[in-house]
Amino acid sequence: MAYKRPESVLVVVYSDQHQVLLLQRKDDPEFWQSVTGTLEDGETPAMTAFREVKEELGIDLSDDPMAIIDCHTVNQFAIRPRWRYRYPPNTYSNTEYVFCTQISQSATIILTEHLALEWLSKQQAIERAWSPSNRRAIEAFVPEPKS
């Protein structure tokens, strides 16, 4: 098995209705998250963000280089002990680059790596997202509805 690189992206997906898309992991149904994925050799974080949206949601945004926004936020977090075997020995932390994108709630989403999806209010998504970095990204980068 090839080890995963301890660098990943987090792509917060929200709609024009200010709903946040969360995905339920297959390997841990209690774990709800935004789109995530590991950087592959030769990829920049932005390239990974576009690839992961396409792989996880079946939505190709590559025609518009501005479709996914770099939030200029980089997180460091401890890799969950149950997942450390996927990384090189003695690798305990991951670097995560944060992005966001807006899509229509009516867009056809094809789940390939998750059990389920839900569109939630910003507050519901903050409460449901498993990882602290995902919760902080939703709080910081999903716009509030205009009054």
Side-chain angles (χ1 to χ4, degrees):
M1 171 183 97
Y3 290 121
K4 291 177 78 165
R5 184 172 160 181
E7 286 186 282
S8 64
V9 298
L10 170 68
V11 184
V12 175
V13 180
Y14 61 91
S15 75
D16 56 351
Q17 303 297 313
H18 305 282
Q19 297 289 297
V20 179
L21 180 68
L22 286 186
L23 307 168
Q24 184 182 34
R25 290 184 67 102
K26 285 182 181 178
D27 61 355
D28 183 350
E30 298 299 313
F31 197 116
W32 286 81
Q33 65 184 38
S34 294
V35 171
T36 64
T38 300
L39 274 72
E40 294 181 354
D41 288 340
E43 279 187 331
T44 64
M47 292 165 67
T48 303
F50 278 91
R51 177 179 53 77
E52 289 294 338
V53 167
K54 185 175 180 181
E55 287 179 5
E56 294 187 12
L57 304 180
I59 297 174
D60 186 354
L61 299 174
S62 63
D63 287 346
D64 180 2
M66 302 304 290
I68 296 180
I69 299 163
D70 185 342
C71 297
H72 301 288
T73 300
V74 180
N75 300 310
Q76 288 281 328
F77 64 85
I79 298 168
R80 291 176 82 187
R82 69 190 284 184
W83 292 339
R84 284 191 195 135
Y85 72 92
R86 300 173 179 173
Y87 296 87
N90 301 314
T91 301
Y92 300 101
S93 67
N94 186 76
T95 301
E96 176 184 71
Y97 304 91
V98 181
F99 294 83
C100 63
T101 189
Q102 182 179 358
I103 65 171
S104 171
Q105 277 184 250
S106 63
T108 301
I109 296 174
I110 302 166
L111 293 180
T112 59
E113 301 178 15
H114 296 86
L115 291 175
L117 66 86
E118 285 196 34
W119 286 102
L120 302 166
S121 71
K122 182 175 178 175
Q123 188 57 45
Q124 289 170 321
I126 291 167
E127 293 168 7
R128 172 87 54 96
W130 189 90
S131 79
S133 67
N134 200 161
R135 292 192 297 268
R136 286 190 306 268
I138 293 166
E139 176 68 32
F141 303 114
V142 174
E144 295 289 342
K146 293 182 178 142
S147 318

